[in-house]
Amino acid sequence: MKRMKKLASLLLAMVMVLSMTITAFAEETTYSITINNSAEGHTYEAYQIFTGDLSETTLSNIVWGSGITLDGQTALQNKYDTAETKSAAGVAEALTNENAVQFAKDAAGYLTTTKVDSTYNETSKNYTISQLAAGYYLVKDKDGSLTGDNDSYTEYIVKVVSDATATPKSDVPTVQKKVKDINDSTDDAMTDWQDSADHDIGDSVPFQLKATLADNVSSYTTYKVVFHDTQSKGLTYNNDAKVCIDGKETNGFTVSATVNADGTTTLTVSCDDVKALGAGNSSVITVEYTATLNENAVLGSAGNPNEVYLEYSNNPNKSESGNNETGNTPKDVVIVFTYKTIINKVTNNPNYDPKVEDSEEYIPLTGAEFTLEKYNKETDKWEAITAVKNDEGTTFTFSGLDDGKYRLTETKTPAGYNSIDPIEFTVTAEHDVQSDNPALTSLSGNAATGELTFTSNTTEGSLSDDVVNKAGSTLPETGGMGTTIFYVIGAILVIGAGVVLITRKRMSASK
């Protein structure tokens, strides 16, 4: 009986211990922070700065948490706690809405390796940091996780936990590149800024780079901006870049141009701190320059692409000057097109037989020379364009043409052939002027009097046609049969005149 009582007492004790354990487990409450940011790729970390007893949203009996080093505790107490006896509670009491951002930046310099990472929810498009004990937490992006990306680090978030939701403050700038166009045969002024243009070789082509800064530039100690602009081999930079901030010209940027091994040119326009130049939230920075379309220009639909991307400060949490953590925007592309006209000199084939397969109606004709001129409305003059002949001297190629009005003149005519009258024609091109991927959509040529019927090749950017010369009339040769008839007729006329004269004398004598 005594043994049974002892066993019952033991079981009762075990049940009491077990119930106490269950109660203790039940009282351990954890919390979570939900970060409303739909952008994937972030790695948020939560560091416990303070812990203590949580009652609703109030933390009491505050002590330092596991996320701050001993050196950090000392440094933060000396800076924020004004009491003689320094403590975590004294620092917490000194925090206000005004100094919380700076406190977070200071604390971030003394974090331990003890942290809790976030997870991204594909369905809700946000991040969650779970299993957090009661406390005061600093939430941040993992260092180095966004370098080079088109994203910015979230400003530090400090939260007292119960379950909490935070909407991070972060923004990134944008950049775009534009070009201007003109039909100098008909227009008096350039177009507005657009994504494509066509120009003659030798034209000075205007370009614009435009960056709209992030809306939280004020959160940064310094804000770095670098335009990385690449011009194709067919363009020569004219060393005339002009930079403006919110419409006001500035000389605070460094401008450098480098010709690369492949013939392209990289234009770098940079400033380590645009805030020092007056830039602020959402400021607009523009760079305008010109480049000359040169003899290396690519003809046709491939065109001469030019691109830019912007490098920018992307970590507002760094308090030191010279912050080198940067992101990069996507590239923006514009294209400059140019074309060519091909004139083939031909004449009628005397052996042409339409009944014979592959019989050519026309054959190449040597000995001609042509001049192509373009009408310039501004100067009211026709301006000559250089021709390139093939080895046989029968094909004349005029490269690097824009849309506009042209005149083809035969300046030397092959011997024995009739000269052609000057031919005026118009080149017309269509290309995407507002597009992320601008393309040449059509190319055509039209002669006013129908002497030319061009064949268009948009890929090659060419308009080609044959110009036919006709042989002159063959006059009768001197001393041939053609002159004999004149002699015969002349003799007949002489004899007739003599007969008439003799007849008249006889008639006079008989009277």
Side-chain angles (χ1 to χ4, degrees):
M1 190 68 179
K2 289 182 179 180
R3 288 182 179 179
M4 291 295 293
K5 287 183 179 180
K6 289 181 178 180
L7 182 58
S9 298
L10 181 59
L11 288 173
L12 179 60
M14 291 176 63
V15 169
M16 292 179 64
V17 170
L18 182 60
S19 64
M20 290 173 62
T21 304
I22 292 173
T23 301
F25 283 151
E27 290 176 353
E28 284 188 11
T29 303
T30 60
Y31 305 95
S32 65
I33 297 175
T34 300
I35 303 169
N36 289 327
N37 183 4
S38 61
E40 297 185 51
H42 284 258
T43 305
Y44 289 109
E45 304 170 326
Y47 294 82
Q48 189 187 63
I49 305 301
F50 300 116
T51 187
D53 299 326
L54 184 65
S55 175
E56 296 183 354
T57 59
T58 301
L59 196 67
S60 59
N61 301 317
I62 295 175
V63 295
W64 288 109
S66 61
I68 193 79
T69 64
L70 292 176
D71 287 343
Q73 296 171 21
T74 300
L76 294 172
Q77 287 174 167
N78 289 335
K79 182 173 182 178
Y80 290 92
D81 188 356
T82 58
E84 291 186 9
T85 304
K86 310 293 185 181
S87 67
V91 175
E93 289 174 4
L95 294 183
T96 64
N97 290 334
E98 288 71 27
N99 66 11
V101 172
Q102 185 58 49
F103 170 78
K105 290 182 178 181
D106 293 339
Y110 299 100
L111 299 177
T112 67
T113 58
T114 303
K115 59 184 175 59
V116 181
D117 292 331
S118 65
T119 57
Y120 183 72
N121 189 313
E122 291 284 352
T123 302
S124 59
K125 301 298 181 183
N126 57 27
Y127 295 82
T128 303
I129 304 176
S130 303
Q131 301 297 311
L132 298 175
Y136 198 72
Y137 286 84
L138 185 150
V139 180
K140 61 183 285 293
D141 281 295
K142 181 180 179 181
D143 290 343
S145 60
L146 298 176
T147 300
D149 293 343
N150 184 34
D151 205 346
S152 64
Y153 291 84
T154 301
E155 293 183 43
Y156 293 145
I157 304 167
V158 181
K159 281 290 179 181
V160 175
V161 173
S162 58
D163 289 335
T165 299
T167 300
K169 184 178 180 181
S170 64
D171 190 35
V172 296
T174 60
V175 70
Q176 63 180 19
K177 184 170 186 176
K178 299 292 183 181
V179 63
K180 284 190 174 184
D181 196 0
I182 189 172
N183 183 331
D184 44 22
S185 291
T186 60
D187 297 336
D188 294 316
M190 291 278 185
T191 62
D192 290 333
W193 295 111
Q194 55 192 44
D195 291 321
S196 67
D198 49 22
H199 283 273
D200 301 294
I201 284 180
D203 280 356
S204 183
V205 183
F207 291 96
Q208 183 194 68
L209 315 177
K210 181 180 179 181
T212 302
L213 301 188
D215 62 12
N216 64 333
V217 170
S218 58
S219 299
Y220 291 75
T221 304
T222 60
Y223 199 88
K224 181 177 182 178
V225 169
V226 184
F227 293 88
H228 296 273
D229 180 74
T230 302
Q231 303 156 30
S232 68
K233 187 178 180 181
L235 286 158
T236 302
Y237 172 55
N238 291 330
N239 295 302
D240 58 355
K242 180 181 73 173
V243 186
C244 292
I245 298 177
D246 295 327
K248 184 178 180 180
E249 189 170 356
T250 177
N251 60 2
F253 280 74
T254 299
V255 180
S256 64
T258 302
V259 178
N260 305 311
D262 61 358
T264 61
T265 299
T266 298
L267 179 66
T268 305
V269 183
S270 63
C271 178
D272 286 340
D273 184 18
V274 295
K275 292 183 68 175
L277 302 179
N281 296 345
S282 303
S283 281
V284 175
I285 301 176
T286 58
V287 181
E288 294 184 9
Y289 69 88
T290 65
T292 300
L293 193 65
N294 62 43
E295 67 279 1
N296 296 315
V298 175
L299 308 179
S301 60
N304 301 273
N306 297 263
E307 61 187 28
V308 68
Y309 73 89
L310 188 75
E311 179 185 354
Y312 57 90
S313 293
N314 71 343
N315 193 343
N317 305 308
K318 297 294 184 180
S319 58
E320 71 273 13
S321 299
N323 174 17
N324 291 320
E325 291 191 64
T326 57
N328 298 329
T329 66
K331 294 178 179 179
D332 191 38
V333 179
V334 300
I335 298 183
V336 178
F337 298 104
T338 192
Y339 321 112
K340 63 182 176 181
T341 296
I342 303 172
I343 301 299
N344 301 305
K345 188 64 173 177
V346 298
T347 189
N348 295 92
N349 182 2
N351 300 317
Y352 171 63
D353 186 348
K355 297 179 182 179
V356 178
E357 187 177 357
D358 296 330
S359 181
E360 298 288 343
E361 184 176 0
Y362 301 103
I363 56 176
L365 177 63
T366 60
E369 295 289 346
F370 287 98
T371 296
L372 184 66
E373 300 165 291
K374 183 179 183 182
Y375 177 69
N376 188 315
K377 182 179 180 181
E378 182 179 0
T379 61
D380 193 26
K381 293 180 179 179
W382 291 93
E383 300 173 350
I385 298 166
T386 303
V388 176
K389 293 190 294 184
N390 63 346
D391 292 339
E392 292 77 19
T394 60
T395 297
F396 301 82
T397 302
F398 302 90
S399 296
L401 308 183
D402 190 3
D403 55 0
K405 184 179 178 181
Y406 293 87
R407 181 172 68 188
L408 181 68
T409 304
E410 189 175 48
T411 52
K412 180 181 178 182
T413 305
Y417 288 83
N418 295 322
S419 298
I420 65 169
D421 292 330
I423 303 172
E424 292 187 8
F425 62 93
T426 301
V427 173
T428 303
E430 299 291 338
H431 41 84
D432 301 322
V433 296
Q434 298 295 334
S435 173
D436 291 334
N437 188 25
L440 175 64
T441 55
S442 69
L443 178 65
S444 61
N446 178 41
T449 54
E451 296 96 333
L452 293 175
T453 305
F454 286 107
T455 298
S456 174
N457 186 318
T458 305
T459 301
E460 296 179 358
S462 65
L463 296 169
S464 58
D465 199 8
D466 297 338
V467 173
V468 181
N469 270 86
K470 297 185 181 297
S473 300
T474 303
L475 298 177
E477 295 181 8
T478 302
M481 289 298 294
T483 60
T484 301
I485 189 67
F486 293 111
Y487 293 138
V488 172
I489 294 172
I492 293 172
L493 292 174
V494 171
I495 292 171
V499 170
V500 172
L501 181 60
I502 293 171
T503 301
R504 287 182 176 178
K505 285 184 177 181
R506 288 180 177 177
M507 288 176 67
S508 297
S510 63
K511 292 180 180 179

